[in-house]
Amino acid sequence: MLTPTTIREFDRTAPDRDETETATFALGCFWGPDARFGAMDGVVRTRVGYAGGTKPNPTYHALGNHTEAFQVDYDPEALSYADLLEVVFERHDPNHQTRKKQYQNAVFCGTKTQREAVETYLEADGRSADAIETRIERLSRFYLAESYHQKYNLGSRPSLLEPFEEAGYGDEELRESPTAAKLNAHAAGYDIPDEHELAAALDRTVSGR
């Protein structure tokens, strides 16, 4: 069964922050890609927020000129930034951009290396950053979204959320939990990798065994 002990153990054995790298993207409403990328083998943590604008301390109801964005912390030994870019560009049409900035498509480059990787990826695809509608921008700052937006799909599944509450997880722990990233993906209908005991525990929880 999915228990507080299972959750704590899975989170404990996940790669630490100093073993992961972070990528930031925007693909419309952030709930969907937060779950989609959380399902990927090699993605350790996810979170949603706001980026790309100039308004200080944006909120969902006072967003200013920011865009809904999401971050993934990934294990570079299991997954590359180019792998993530491939999924990003599979998930939207780079030749089309919605007019409402809140839901625009963007790649926010946190480092020079990421910017170079984007240019290399596009060049290999016969494109350039200047010739597509997708925004390719330097990440100046990522603002965390409100707690009720984090792990949105998981929050709608009490049977999956209850063990986190029993484990004493607060909002920040839930947001940054590797287990929560995988179960949020499962709650959205994605298959999760067969890692440690998590998949088996989830199967037993769903089946009631």
Side-chain angles (χ1 to χ4, degrees):
M1 295 289 287
L2 186 64
T3 67
T5 300
T6 304
I7 291 169
R8 287 288 189 189
E9 181 63 15
F10 186 86
D11 285 353
R12 185 188 66 80
T13 58
D16 293 332
R17 285 290 187 82
D18 59 1
E19 299 175 298
T20 62
E21 297 180 5
T22 302
T24 308
F25 307 110
L27 291 171
C29 175
F30 46 31
W31 294 338
D34 181 43
R36 169 65 182 86
F37 280 76
M40 292 178 64
D41 194 8
V43 169
V44 181
R45 300 173 186 85
T46 68
R47 64 195 65 85
V48 298
Y50 313 113
T54 57
K55 177 181 172 61
N57 302 313
T59 65
Y60 184 74
H61 294 292
L63 193 58
N65 57 349
H66 286 278
T67 300
E68 290 191 19
F70 64 98
Q71 286 189 329
V72 297
D73 296 347
Y74 63 98
D75 180 356
E77 294 190 0
L79 192 67
S80 71
Y81 187 71
D83 293 330
L84 295 172
L85 288 176
E86 185 172 354
V87 177
V88 166
F89 283 97
E90 285 176 350
R91 301 292 291 181
H92 79 285
D93 180 0
N95 296 312
H96 174 75
Q97 184 69 278
T98 182
R99 296 178 64 181
K100 190 171 183 180
K101 193 169 185 182
Q102 178 178 358
Y103 299 121
Q104 288 189 345
N105 302 308
V107 176
F108 295 106
C109 302
T111 65
K112 181 180 179 181
T113 300
Q114 288 186 352
R115 176 72 192 210
E116 291 172 348
V118 172
E119 292 172 352
T120 298
Y121 177 86
L122 292 174
E123 182 179 343
D125 197 38
R127 306 175 188 266
S128 70
D130 295 333
I132 61 175
E133 293 296 320
T134 302
R135 291 157 47 199
I136 311 296
E137 301 179 1
R138 180 178 69 86
L139 177 67
S140 57
R141 182 167 178 178
F142 181 83
Y143 294 90
L144 289 167
E146 296 81 351
S147 295
Y148 65 88
H149 286 302
Q150 307 292 341
K151 306 298 180 288
Y152 182 81
N153 294 282
L154 176 60
S156 66
R157 295 283 295 275
S159 64
L160 298 180
L161 190 60
E162 185 176 348
F164 290 94
E165 296 171 346
E166 293 176 357
Y169 276 46
D171 290 341
E172 181 178 355
E173 281 188 296
L174 183 67
R175 183 188 70 228
E176 300 299 322
S177 164
T179 308
K182 298 306 179 190
L183 295 185
N184 184 58
H186 171 78
Y190 295 103
D191 293 330
I192 60 175
D194 186 13
E195 298 172 284
H196 302 285
E197 296 297 320
L198 182 59
L202 180 60
D203 286 342
R204 290 193 294 269
T205 299
V206 173
S207 66
R209 297 194 301 270

